[in-house]
Amino acid sequence: MVHNAYDSFQLLNDCPARIDAVESYGSKLFAGCYDGSLRIYSPPESSASDPSELHQETYVLETTVAGFSKKPIVAMEVLASRELLLSLSESIAFHGLPNLETVAVITKAKGANAYSWDDRRGFLCFSRQKRVCVFKHDGGGGFVEVRDYGVPDTVKSISWCGENICLGIKKEYVILNTANGTLSEVFPSGRVAPPLVISLPSGELLLGKENIGVFVDQNGKLLQTERICWSEAPTAIVIQNPYAIALLPRRVEVRLLRSPYPLIQTIVLQNIRRLVKSNNAVIVGLDNSVYVLFPVSIGAQIVQLTASGNFEEALALCKVLPPEESSLRAAKESSIHTRFAHYLFENGSYEEAMEHFLASQVDITHVLSMYPSIILPKTTIIPQPDKMVDISGDEASLSRGSSGISDDMESSSPRYFLESEDNTALESKKMSHNTLMALIKYLQKRRPAVIEKATSEGTEEVISDAVGKSYGAYDSSKSKKSSKGRGMIPLNSGAREMAAILDTALLQALLHTGQSGAAIELLKGVNYCDVKICEEILMKSKNYSALLELFKSNSMHHEALKLLNQLAEESKSDQSQTEVTQIFSPEMIIEYLKPLCRTDPMLVLEYSMLVLESCPTQTIDLFLSGNISADLVNSYLKQHAPNMQGRYLELMMAMNETAVSGNLQNEMVQIYLSEVLDLYAAKSAQQKWDEKDHPPERKKLLSALESISGYSPQPLLKRLPRDALYEERAVILGKMNQHELALSIYVHKLHAPDLALAYCDRIYESVSYLPSGKPSSNIYLTVLQIYLNPKKSAKDFAKRIVALGSFESSETTKMMDSVLSSKAKGGRSKKIVAIEGAEDMRVGLSSSTDSGRSDVDTEEPLEEGDSTVMISEVLDLLSQRWERINGAQALKLLPRETKLQNLLPFLAPLLRNSSEAHRNFSVIKSLRQSENLQVKEELYKHRKGVAQVTSDSMCSLCNKKIGTSVFAVYPNGKTLVHFVCFRDSQGMKAVSKTSHGRRR
């Protein structure tokens, strides 16, 4: 016996006749005897107990109804809702209560051996031989037969299941469909024990097969794999929630009606004949006496089970408590779960113990107090170490309130205490791997709700602060925390204190069990880990990856970056080559800084300097991808890492030149120029400078000067040396629209007609692509002038250089002499006769080519005097770019002695092109004239339209005859209207349009 679910009490003894059937009616007991009499027993008259239920005291005979039945009474049942007593003897009879007058006798039930009553519908079914009959109560004193069914064998047990009937016949169970009379097999019955059909309160059925009870639904379908296993095959079963009471040959068995259906109590009685359910008890009928099983209150049973260590059964009973005692049930369950958890923990079932701690909703600190090696934050909700945790005192009071049992039963409940002695073995046990793994699972299951509550409190606090409210002054001794998504939140609330305790303990448990990866994942998310405690633990265990995540989650970026830099330096040194520090590299600093670019750019710039030299490309990519202000980065690099400034600007230009400001473009070109000037100074000192040599520095500078458009050329021009870097000077002059000066350098200083031609092509194409610009041949005429009159171009060069301020006035003469003294090399020019009547060509300080006006629009003859005319270059230019040069102006510039044969490569394609253009224009002119004639013909055709007005012609607007009035004709030539009507209609349209425009 596990515990007492029922108290057995002998209600009556020494009945004169053998008792075959028993039933209760209120506080009275009906005993149907073998001689056909009905004996009525009741409590003594002095009893003042409730008259609606049986009493736990010896009953006395109240009256005997002799001849109640001609034959022995087999079964009786009180139909309380209809105030009837149903009795089965030689037939089925109904008597009124309480006077027992005969109401109805169903004569067709003569010889019936089993019946079942459906109280909800008032239907009675009974079996007789191989027939099943159904009768219905008409609401008064009569019964009406509904239907009669045939079955294959004698029915041993019968019960309603919904609108159908479950029958236990000799060899099997079947479901009888009352609508059509069909039979559905369920499964075979036992070979030894007779079939037994029991209806459950839920509407399901419990079918007996030998000593096993099988659960099926109303259609006979098996419900679950579990079975009730009795000690022997029962002859009767009574269901009284939460128990199933079975009548066995020599005893009564009580089992819990919940899986795994454990044995609760055994009551030994001899010669039991009947087992009947009463409204408040279970009646056991013997040959000449009656016992009643009075249920022990649920609260008292719970206390008994808890005291004996049967916690699972106690928890199962808690669920049976009535709904109105929900708070009491929750308190009982919590207390039992807690006691059960301690019991399991002490016996090594750690995971199961944590499941019960979880179900009990006990405070987390209570569980953590069992792990003294776990360091927790000092908060107001931590219990004192020497405080005894009483986990059974509340149970006694709760059970007492529910059942009224005495205190001596409560005193048998054991108490569990948390030992505080310094027991090494116990401490080792509590910090073993299994105990910590169980703790981890427990904390992980509790964590979502705790974190959600803590986060919501933080959100409410932020909102209240935003609207000017405050929950009170903060204690200055409270530590402030921050984590992802919560900012700096003081831990002054219970929810956030609990979250800090939970996360700090969880992190330590993960580390103790070697789950560093899980610890890092914990720190990556929203967490409330205590920074001081966790930092100390992680530093001691050298778990730097987790420590970095701890700093990061609490926005302690300075500490994290300092640690990263320290670890990276240690990994490079030969002093500490450990496995831990080898995983850290400067690239990790860059990865750490990436998310901070938008929130704290100055921090990014400060710590990026630590890795700029070792990882230049990745660091500059960090600046570019992080959308940090380019001006800010450039200024910082200029101050702290000037050698990397150019590299950064190069990558910026490569990504998006238009996004780079003119100031940064100037910076980059100035850096390139400084590099070239340093190279020039070094090679000049060694007398190794060659103007035609193009090292990488010069190539980079020339490319930047040509491709970048946002820099200021004037400051660059002033930095150039007087007698070097002519190609750079030419490019800069071109950016200033000083094309003639640039071409003079290409021709006279660099002696590179090919560069001059390429320069002219660039200018020509850039002008032709302008939306409002027209292709201009002036630039080619300019280079022609330079080829044909070098002395004149040299003078212009010197004058413009002075005007631009590139050199001091004392250097002008040297520059002019340098230009004039340069000779053509490699036979690229030759002497020709001087051209008479030459005049000086006007030279403006601004480029005339860009204004669309040719430098030779005025027919100016070439300057007379000795000069080196580069006639071969002139002829090459004319032959190569004949389609881009104004032929008439070019011919005017040529010397008179130029042979026509030499101009053939220029004039031939030019004349062909002009002739072809002339022909094309003639054709176009003819086509346009033809088109003009067609349009005129169509106009004349439309003017020939005729409108015929007769005496029957009607106005389309007013529907009156036109008559001799002035009329108008619509463009279709058919619609006629009065001119007055047409004018009025046009006026109305104008007014409507005006009003509509005003409304808009």
Side-chain angles (χ1 to χ4, degrees):
M1 183 179 69
V2 178
H3 75 282
N4 286 332
Y6 290 90
D7 289 333
S8 175
F9 183 80
Q10 188 174 14
L11 210 65
L12 62 93
N13 191 16
D14 297 331
C15 180
R18 189 184 73 187
I19 300 174
D20 288 337
V22 292
E23 180 61 297
S24 68
Y25 175 62
S27 61
K28 296 182 179 182
L29 180 69
F30 294 164
C33 298
Y34 179 76
D35 58 3
S37 64
L38 177 67
R39 296 176 180 273
I40 302 176
Y41 294 86
S42 61
E45 295 182 359
S46 60
S47 176
S49 302
D50 188 355
S52 63
E53 58 185 23
L54 295 175
H55 303 155
Q56 195 169 352
E57 54 186 323
T58 302
Y59 273 43
V60 296
L61 180 63
E62 179 179 298
T63 184
T64 301
V65 182
F68 183 79
S69 173
K70 294 181 180 180
K71 291 186 177 182
I73 301 174
V74 178
M76 287 190 301
E77 183 177 351
V78 171
L79 311 180
S81 62
R82 288 170 168 77
E83 289 293 319
L84 295 175
L85 174 63
L86 183 155
S87 60
L88 172 61
S89 182
E90 59 179 348
S91 63
I92 296 178
F94 291 88
H95 296 80
L97 293 173
N99 298 323
L100 298 177
E101 68 275 10
T102 302
V103 175
V105 176
I106 301 177
T107 57
K108 195 174 182 178
K110 187 175 182 179
N113 63 322
Y115 75 92
S116 180
W117 171 257
D118 184 353
D119 192 66
R120 180 179 63 86
R121 297 185 300 159
F123 274 58
L124 171 71
C125 66
F126 58 87
S127 61
R128 180 174 59 86
Q129 297 178 354
K130 294 184 180 181
R131 309 294 297 178
V132 173
C133 302
V134 177
F135 280 75
K136 180 181 179 181
H137 185 216
D138 61 5
F143 283 82
V144 180
E145 183 177 1
V146 177
R147 195 165 180 177
D148 188 351
Y149 305 94
V151 292
D153 206 340
T154 303
V155 177
K156 301 295 184 180
S157 182
I158 186 170
S159 177
W160 285 101
C161 53
E163 296 183 357
N164 300 326
I165 304 172
C166 182
L167 305 176
I169 56 180
K170 186 175 182 180
K171 297 181 179 180
E172 61 182 345
Y173 292 100
V174 294
I175 300 293
L176 172 62
N177 189 323
T178 58
N180 51 29
T182 59
L183 295 173
S184 303
E185 295 183 1
V186 180
F187 58 81
S189 60
R191 295 181 180 180
V192 178
L196 183 63
V197 181
I198 303 300
S199 179
L200 300 177
S202 60
E204 302 163 357
L205 297 174
L206 177 63
L207 306 182
K209 187 173 184 179
E210 305 297 354
N211 66 325
I212 297 174
V214 182
F215 295 93
V216 298
D217 63 8
Q218 294 182 358
N219 299 316
K221 183 179 178 181
L222 294 177
L223 292 177
Q224 53 196 16
T225 58
E226 293 86 356
R227 307 284 188 265
I228 296 183
C229 295
W230 308 99
S231 302
E232 299 178 67
T235 57
I237 297 176
V238 169
I239 304 299
Q240 190 174 52
N241 196 33
Y243 298 113
I245 303 98
L247 174 59
L248 305 183
R250 291 178 295 276
R251 60 186 175 273
V252 175
E253 252 185 28
V254 181
R255 290 185 178 269
L256 185 65
L257 203 57
R258 292 177 183 272
S259 180
Y261 310 104
L263 175 64
I264 301 299
Q265 186 178 2
T266 300
I267 303 170
V268 179
L269 294 172
Q270 299 296 327
N271 302 322
I272 304 176
R273 302 185 62 84
R274 287 292 175 183
L275 188 68
V276 179
K277 178 183 176 182
S278 176
N279 55 353
N280 70 318
V282 176
I283 305 173
V284 182
L286 281 68
D287 285 343
N288 299 99
S289 60
V290 174
Y291 283 79
V292 177
L293 305 181
F294 290 98
V296 179
S297 67
I298 299 297
Q301 294 183 55
I302 292 173
V303 173
Q304 291 180 43
L305 291 169
T306 306
S308 60
N310 295 290
F311 301 104
E312 293 182 1
E313 290 79 1
L315 290 171
L317 281 182
C318 286
K319 301 184 182 302
V320 185
L321 288 172
E324 57 270 16
E325 298 183 10
S326 58
S327 59
L328 175 64
R329 182 177 68 181
K332 282 181 174 292
E333 287 181 341
S334 177
S335 178
I336 297 170
H337 277 299
T338 303
R339 298 177 65 179
F340 195 13
H342 278 278
Y343 173 80
L344 293 171
F345 191 88
E346 295 300 328
N347 287 276
S349 300
Y350 305 115
E351 291 195 11
E352 293 182 27
M354 292 303 161
E355 290 294 332
H356 286 281
F357 276 130
L358 187 67
S360 70
Q361 293 295 317
V362 70
D363 195 88
I364 295 175
T365 56
H366 178 82
V367 179
L368 292 175
S369 63
M370 303 170 63
Y371 295 82
S373 298
I374 299 290
I375 304 173
L376 301 179
K378 295 181 179 179
T379 57
T380 57
I381 59 176
I382 295 292
Q384 297 297 327
D386 57 346
K387 182 178 179 180
M388 180 181 65
V389 182
D390 185 0
I391 55 177
S392 61
D394 59 334
E395 180 67 38
S397 61
L398 289 170
S399 61
R400 181 166 53 247
S402 173
S403 63
I405 62 174
S406 60
D407 291 338
D408 57 349
M409 182 179 291
E410 300 168 25
S411 63
S412 63
S413 300
R415 292 177 178 265
Y416 295 88
F417 303 103
L418 296 179
E419 301 293 341
S420 59
E421 295 95 5
D422 189 14
N423 190 318
T424 306
L426 183 60
E427 296 302 325
S428 175
K429 176 183 177 182
K430 290 184 176 180
M431 290 302 292
S432 67
H433 184 271
N434 292 338
T435 58
L436 290 172
M437 289 299 297
L439 177 64
I440 290 171
K441 293 180 180 180
Y442 167 76
L443 294 176
Q444 287 174 340
K445 291 179 180 179
R446 288 292 304 268
R447 190 171 187 272
V450 174
I451 295 299
E452 181 181 1
K453 187 175 181 181
T455 305
S456 63
E457 279 193 3
T459 304
E460 292 174 0
E461 186 173 291
V462 170
I463 294 174
S464 65
D465 289 343
V467 298
K469 295 180 180 180
S470 175
Y471 288 105
Y474 296 130
D475 186 357
S476 59
S477 63
K478 302 284 185 179
S479 61
K480 292 188 177 182
K481 289 175 58 66
S482 65
S483 70
K484 295 177 182 177
R486 72 176 188 269
M488 299 297 293
I489 301 177
L491 292 178
N492 67 322
S493 69
R496 281 173 286 180
E497 285 186 355
M498 188 60 67
I501 293 171
L502 188 150
D503 281 350
T504 305
L506 178 58
L507 180 67
Q508 293 177 67
L510 291 172
L511 294 175
H512 287 317
T513 54
Q515 302 183 64
S516 298
I520 292 174
E521 290 300 320
L522 170 66
L523 294 170
K524 283 183 178 179
V526 176
N527 68 87
Y528 289 80
C529 291
D530 186 272
V531 177
K532 185 176 180 181
I533 295 175
C534 295
E535 179 182 359
E536 182 179 350
I537 294 172
L538 293 173
M539 284 294 291
K540 186 176 180 181
S541 62
K542 295 184 179 181
N543 196 330
Y544 299 117
S545 298
L547 181 57
L548 288 172
E549 289 297 334
L550 175 68
F551 287 149
K552 188 176 182 179
S553 65
N554 288 276
S555 299
M556 301 170 64
H557 303 304
H558 285 280
E559 291 80 358
L561 290 166
K562 287 178 182 178
L563 177 62
L564 261 178
N565 185 51
Q566 177 186 345
L567 295 172
E569 292 296 329
E570 289 179 359
S571 64
K572 291 190 296 184
S573 66
D574 296 331
Q575 300 175 358
S576 177
Q577 288 292 334
T578 64
E579 295 182 359
V580 178
T581 56
Q582 283 178 353
I583 66 172
F584 296 96
S585 61
E587 287 79 2
M588 296 185 67
I589 297 179
I590 297 174
E591 291 298 322
Y592 188 96
L593 291 173
K594 282 182 179 179
L596 302 177
C597 290
R598 294 183 180 274
T599 57
D600 198 347
M602 293 307 298
L603 179 70
V604 174
L605 291 173
E606 177 184 351
Y607 283 94
S608 63
M609 297 300 109
L610 301 175
V611 293
L612 187 57
E613 292 186 3
S614 58
C615 304
T617 304
Q618 296 94 320
T619 307
I620 292 175
D621 287 341
L622 170 68
F623 297 149
L624 299 178
S625 61
N627 292 326
I628 303 178
S629 170
D631 292 320
L632 179 62
V633 176
N634 179 67
S635 175
Y636 204 89
L637 289 176
K638 189 174 183 179
Q639 182 179 358
H640 296 88
N643 57 329
M644 299 302 299
Q645 185 183 7
R647 180 74 177 277
Y648 168 72
L649 294 174
E650 284 177 5
L651 293 175
M652 281 290 294
M653 290 291 296
M655 286 184 61
N656 188 1
E657 180 181 350
T658 58
V660 181
S661 64
N663 180 39
L664 294 182
Q665 294 182 21
N666 268 327
E667 288 272 0
M668 189 173 72
V669 177
Q670 291 283 1
I671 291 171
Y672 290 167
L673 180 57
S674 298
E675 293 176 357
V676 174
L677 290 176
D678 293 342
L679 179 64
Y680 167 72
K683 288 195 173 185
S684 296
Q686 302 174 6
Q687 296 183 354
K688 294 182 179 181
W689 176 259
D690 185 1
E691 189 66 27
K692 294 183 178 180
D693 189 16
H694 287 77
E697 292 83 359
R698 283 197 73 186
K699 289 181 180 179
K700 189 164 60 174
L701 175 60
L702 287 170
S703 176
L705 291 174
E706 291 175 358
S707 60
I708 297 176
S709 59
Y711 65 87
S712 301
Q714 188 76 22
L716 298 173
L717 196 61
K718 294 180 180 180
R719 295 186 61 191
L720 294 177
R722 179 179 60 83
D723 54 352
L725 303 180
Y726 294 113
E727 191 171 351
E728 288 81 352
R729 186 185 304 278
V731 176
I732 295 173
L733 289 172
K735 292 291 183 180
M736 299 172 65
N737 292 330
Q738 301 297 327
H739 305 304
E740 188 174 354
L741 296 180
L743 290 170
S744 297
I745 292 176
Y746 284 125
V747 173
H748 295 307
K749 296 300 294 180
L750 299 175
H751 310 295
D754 54 339
L755 295 178
L757 180 60
Y759 180 87
C760 292
D761 291 340
R762 288 198 304 272
I763 299 302
Y764 180 89
E765 291 168 359
S766 64
V767 173
S768 65
Y769 289 148
L770 292 176
S772 59
K774 296 181 180 180
S776 174
S777 61
N778 289 352
I779 190 66
Y780 295 101
L781 297 178
T782 300
V783 76
L784 279 177
Q785 296 174 32
I786 294 173
Y787 285 151
L788 295 173
N789 200 345
K791 184 177 180 181
K792 168 70 166 54
S793 63
K795 291 180 180 179
D796 288 345
F797 181 77
K799 291 178 182 178
R800 293 204 182 179
I801 289 296
V802 173
L804 292 172
S806 298
F807 299 99
E808 299 294 334
S809 58
S810 60
E811 298 177 345
T812 304
T813 304
K814 295 180 181 180
M815 178 63 70
M816 185 174 181
D817 292 342
S818 175
V819 175
L820 290 174
S821 63
S822 62
K823 302 294 183 179
K825 298 182 181 180
R828 293 176 59 102
S829 62
K830 61 183 180 178
K831 291 276 188 174
I832 65 171
V833 296
I835 300 175
E836 298 178 354
E839 297 180 358
D840 291 342
M841 301 179 71
R842 296 186 299 272
V843 180
L845 294 180
S846 62
S847 173
S848 60
T849 58
D850 288 345
S851 64
R853 182 179 61 82
S854 174
D855 290 337
V856 292
D857 285 346
T858 57
E859 301 178 5
E860 298 183 10
L862 296 175
E863 183 177 333
E864 183 180 1
D866 293 333
S867 61
T868 302
V869 178
M870 305 170 68
I871 192 63
S872 61
E873 285 79 0
V874 171
L875 296 176
D876 289 342
L877 175 62
L878 292 175
S879 62
Q880 294 175 15
R881 298 292 184 267
W882 59 267
E883 76 281 2
R884 297 184 176 185
I885 299 175
N886 189 308
Q889 293 183 357
L891 291 174
K892 290 179 183 180
L893 293 176
L894 292 176
R896 295 176 183 177
E897 291 78 6
T898 306
K899 294 181 180 181
L900 189 60
Q901 183 179 0
N902 295 337
L903 295 176
L904 187 61
F906 167 65
L907 294 175
L910 181 63
L911 292 175
R912 282 197 303 270
N913 186 61
S914 298
S915 299
E916 185 179 354
H918 183 268
R919 287 195 302 272
N920 293 337
F921 287 138
S922 298
V923 172
I924 292 172
K925 180 179 179 182
S926 300
L927 291 174
R928 288 182 177 176
Q929 287 177 350
S930 175
E931 184 181 2
N932 185 31
L933 292 175
Q934 292 176 2
V935 172
K936 286 183 178 180
E937 182 181 0
E938 187 176 356
L939 176 62
Y940 295 152
K941 188 184 295 184
H942 283 292
R943 286 181 176 177
K944 288 181 181 179
V946 177
Q948 186 177 3
V949 181
T950 64
S951 59
D952 297 329
S953 298
M954 303 291 289
C955 175
S956 298
L957 294 177
C958 65
N959 295 324
K960 295 180 180 179
K961 291 185 178 182
I962 298 295
T964 58
S965 303
V966 180
F967 63 90
V969 184
Y970 279 90
N972 59 10
K974 297 180 180 181
T975 304
L976 302 176
V977 294
H978 290 112
F979 179 75
V980 176
C981 296
F982 172 75
R983 184 180 60 189
D984 294 342
S985 66
Q986 293 298 315
M988 292 176 64
K989 290 181 180 179
V991 171
S992 63
K993 288 182 180 179
T994 303
S995 61
H996 178 67
R998 288 177 179 176
R999 285 196 300 270
R1000 293 178 61 186

